[in-house]
């Protein structure tokens, strides 16, 4: 799972290994190639944006790694059956925080690849024009809080580019509001 995440979202890096030489200082090692050659980087050496991406998807990565390890320990060899998972929903609040717009544009593509062969759904709350621009029409909804005329919160599909623009303009500044 870490290699897949790195391949899609951080293609300038290659996850190499976990270094257990010093049990008091376990390291996750990536390789970065540039004009000067290849360099090994510990997770602490990554940029804040690179760390943000890893942290954003850490619960998903940990779960998938634990499932893989469990099936390896049990000796299951059928990879497809070993990776079969129950339905899951992940809610991601403002994935754009601390992430460069180029990297933001890759997030939805990565999420789509994760949903292809699994029973997983992602719900994202965002104010990012970059992420909204990358979303397909059938992926965009606006959640509005109930009004005096309505009994419940309303989920409305965004159908046009104009509605995307309006959603950005009207987006609340606080995304952690709580409705009674």
């Amino acid at each position: 799972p870490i290699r897949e995440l790195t391949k899609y979202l951080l293609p300038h890096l290659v996850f190499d290994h976990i270094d257990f030489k010093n049990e008091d200082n376990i390291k996750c090692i990536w390789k970065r190639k540039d004009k000067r050659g290849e360099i090994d980087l510990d997770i602490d050496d990554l940029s804040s944006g690179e760390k943000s991406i890893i942290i954003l998807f850490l619960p998903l990565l940990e779960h998938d790694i634990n499932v893989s390890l469990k099936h390896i320990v049990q000796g299951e060899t059928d990879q497809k059956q070993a990776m079969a998972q129950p339905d899951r929903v992940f809610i991601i609040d403002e994935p754009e925080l601390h992430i460069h717009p180029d990297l933001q544009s890759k997030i939805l593509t990565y999420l789509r690849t994760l949903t292809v062969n699994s029973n997983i759904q992602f719900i994202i709350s965002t104010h990012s024009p970059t992420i909204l621009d990358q979303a397909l029409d059938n992926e965009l909804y606006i959640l509005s809080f109930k009004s005096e005329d309505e009994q419940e919160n309303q989920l409305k599909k965004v159908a046009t580019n104009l509605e995307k623009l309006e959603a950005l303009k009207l987006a609340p500044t606080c995304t952690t509001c709580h409705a009674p």
Side-chain angles (χ1 to χ4, degrees):
I2 295 172
R3 284 189 177 97
E4 286 297 307
L5 171 110
T6 305
K7 180 175 86 175
Y8 281 100
L9 295 176
L10 305 169
H12 57 287
L13 299 173
V14 174
F15 178 74
D16 192 53
H17 68 281
I18 298 176
D19 182 353
F20 292 101
K21 290 177 189 165
N22 180 353
E23 288 194 25
D24 293 329
N25 188 19
I26 297 172
K27 298 181 177 189
C28 294
I29 305 296
W30 276 264
K31 291 192 179 290
R32 175 183 290 155
K33 290 182 183 178
D34 62 18
K35 295 175 186 175
R36 296 171 283 174
E38 189 173 87
I39 184 171
D40 286 351
L41 298 170
D42 182 25
I43 196 166
D44 293 332
D45 301 325
L46 299 178
S47 73
S48 60
E50 292 163 341
K51 289 177 191 174
S52 292
I53 279 291
I54 293 167
I55 290 168
L56 181 67
F57 291 103
L58 194 56
L60 179 64
L61 291 172
E62 286 179 323
H63 180 268
D64 289 350
I65 289 167
N66 286 332
V67 168
S68 295
L69 290 173
K70 177 182 167 192
H71 291 291
I72 289 169
V73 168
Q74 293 174 351
E76 294 180 15
T77 57
D78 182 3
Q79 192 74 333
K80 209 174 211 183
Q81 182 182 0
M83 291 308 291
Q85 305 227 359
D87 294 347
R88 298 176 291 164
V89 176
F90 283 86
I91 300 172
I92 303 172
D93 186 28
E94 297 185 358
E96 67 271 13
L97 296 180
H98 310 292
I99 298 175
H100 190 276
D102 287 342
L103 191 48
Q104 289 178 33
S105 68
K106 296 176 182 179
I107 290 174
L108 289 181
T109 302
Y110 175 65
L111 295 180
R112 287 184 195 109
T113 63
L114 294 175
T115 62
V116 169
N117 294 319
S118 64
N119 297 332
I120 188 169
Q121 181 179 12
F122 294 93
I123 299 171
I124 299 172
S125 169
T126 185
H127 293 144
S128 167
T130 304
I131 292 176
L132 281 176
D133 191 46
Q134 295 297 316
L136 302 175
D137 289 343
N138 65 343
E139 296 173 331
L140 288 175
Y141 292 84
I142 294 176
L143 177 63
S144 60
F145 294 106
K146 63 182 174 183
S147 66
E148 292 177 19
D149 300 336
E150 299 163 331
Q151 296 296 319
E152 298 179 4
N153 294 338
Q154 299 297 307
L155 192 61
K156 180 184 173 204
K157 188 172 185 155
V158 176
T160 67
N161 285 333
L162 182 59
E163 287 176 331
K164 279 186 194 181
L165 182 60
E166 288 300 314
L168 279 173
K169 284 189 214 175
L170 299 175
T173 54
C174 172
T175 60
T176 56
C177 300
H178 300 282

